[in-house]
Amino acid sequence: MFDCLLLMAGSGTRMSLNYNKIKYEINGKPLYQYSLEKFLNIKECNNVILVVKKDEYSEFKNLETDRIKITIGGNKRFESVLNGAKAAKEEIVLIHDAARPNTKIEHIIEVYNKA
């Protein structure tokens, strides 16, 4: 089993957005939903920890379940990873950027198996 840190505390600066790029919608669904759904559909994934911006916490709080946990990110990516890792329960933790939804489930499983 593994836990997944889904890094969501970024911005949309490089995409010239005035909001967090993970909220950008494709086919009526926010970008982060694609990655979240993939990890939730992997039986080896015990928990998905959403690492969010402090000022966006209230927007994501309603997603929290027995398998989805939410923690606050930091000012830098490494701080966000550290905060998420502190919330993880499994020995193996996979880290994924929620703004990159095209990861294939078979690649996630491959990384997990190698870990």
Side-chain angles (χ1 to χ4, degrees):
M1 299 290 283
F2 70 89
D3 283 348
C4 169
L5 303 185
L6 202 54
L7 301 180
M8 299 173 48
S11 67
T13 307
R14 288 180 295 186
M15 288 181 64
S16 299
L17 298 173
N18 60 355
Y19 58 91
N20 189 336
K21 65 185 165 270
I22 57 126
K23 297 184 215 172
Y24 183 81
E25 291 192 4
I26 297 176
N27 295 326
K29 190 183 328 187
L31 204 53
Y32 76 88
Q33 272 302 122
Y34 291 94
S35 295
L36 177 58
E37 289 170 4
K38 280 182 189 166
F39 281 96
L40 290 174
N41 284 313
I42 298 172
K43 68 180 186 326
E44 294 88 353
C45 182
N46 191 38
N47 294 299
V48 178
I49 300 156
L50 307 182
V51 185
V52 303
K53 290 174 148 182
K54 184 177 184 177
D55 63 341
E56 294 179 343
Y57 178 80
S58 61
E59 294 178 53
F60 297 103
K61 180 71 177 146
N62 65 324
L63 295 175
E64 208 158 26
T65 66
D66 60 328
R67 286 188 66 207
I68 301 173
K69 312 300 179 208
I70 301 175
T71 192
I72 304 299
N75 292 326
K76 303 282 185 188
R77 183 178 300 265
F78 79 90
E79 294 169 332
S80 293
V81 170
L82 180 61
N83 291 351
K86 288 177 182 177
K89 303 291 183 216
E90 295 295 332
E91 185 175 341
I92 296 174
V93 178
L94 301 185
I95 302 166
H96 185 69
D97 185 337
R100 291 172 177 60
N102 291 327
T103 302
K104 295 185 181 333
I105 288 178
E106 56 266 25
H107 293 153
I108 296 168
I109 297 295
E110 183 179 343
V111 169
Y112 167 64
N113 288 332
K114 299 248 183 207

